[in-house]
Amino acid sequence: MARYFTEEHEWIEVDGDTAIIGITDYAQEQLGDVVFVEVPDTGAEFAKGAEAAVVESVKAASDVYAPIAGTVLEGNSALEDEPELVNTAPEAEGWFFKLTIADKGELEGLMDAKAYKAFCDEL
């Protein structure tokens, strides 16, 4: 599976026509303790860059954007009861939603892990 990153600190893991989206470890560190997560409903359709989810922490509320266009297959319902999964496992169990990819061409221009690390090092 290929993993990509955005400048908005989302990660996207691609497996065939399906993608899993979450926020990076860097993003969760910036947010602090996450207290609430709103994930999208199954069947919701998003254009690339659209607001898809909301994460609230003790510091702030932030939107999570769809890194590519697609239709939501599943929101991570575990985050309703355990929003702290975003802090403890942001790039694993703390994922936000799964999408059916509308256009794989939109993956071009996203960063790989090495490029994302270099991006964060400059912040």
Side-chain angles (χ1 to χ4, degrees), residues 31-38 54-62 83:
L31 285 168
D33 292 336
V34 173
V35 295
F36 177 77
V37 177
E38 180 181 321
V54 176
V55 58
E56 292 182 20
S57 71
V58 294
K59 292 182 180 176
S62 299

Side-chain angles (χ1 to χ4, degrees), residues 51-74:
E51 296 171 5
V54 176
V55 58
E56 292 182 20
S57 71
V58 294
K59 292 182 180 176
S62 299
D63 292 320
V64 176
Y65 303 97
I68 58 172
T71 304
V72 176
L73 292 169
E74 177 184 1

Side-chain angles (χ1 to χ4, degrees), residues 2 9-11 15 33 35 37 56 68 70 82-85 87 102 106 114-115:
H9 306 286
E10 289 105 7
W11 57 265
D15 184 12
D33 292 336
V35 295
V37 177
E56 292 182 20
I68 58 172
E82 298 179 76
E84 63 272 15
L85 283 174
N87 293 117
E106 291 180 343
K114 183 178 177 182

Side-chain angles (χ1 to χ4, degrees), residues 3-116:
R3 185 171 277 207
Y4 303 89
F5 299 87
T6 71
E7 291 184 358
E8 288 75 33
H9 306 286
E10 289 105 7
W11 57 265
I12 173 170
E13 190 165 274
V14 176
D15 184 12
D17 292 331
T18 303
I20 303 172
I21 290 96
I23 64 170
T24 65
D25 188 52
Y26 178 89
Q28 72 81 21
E29 284 184 15
Q30 298 300 308
L31 285 168
D33 292 336
V34 173
V35 295
F36 177 77
V37 177
E38 180 181 321
V39 297
D41 294 329
T42 300
E45 295 183 16
F46 295 109
K48 180 178 180 176
E51 296 171 5
V54 176
V55 58
E56 292 182 20
S57 71
V58 294
K59 292 182 180 176
S62 299
D63 292 320
V64 176
Y65 303 97
I68 58 172
T71 304
V72 176
L73 292 169
E74 177 184 1
N76 186 356
S77 60
L79 295 179
E80 292 177 18
D81 295 330
E82 298 179 76
E84 63 272 15
L85 283 174
V86 176
N87 293 117
T88 59
E91 299 188 27
E93 292 84 9
W95 58 274
F96 280 56
F97 56 97
K98 296 180 182 178
L99 280 180
T100 298
I101 300 170
D103 179 3
K104 285 190 174 182
E106 291 180 343
L107 295 169
E108 294 178 20
L110 298 178
M111 295 178 275
D112 63 13
K114 183 178 177 182
Y116 179 70

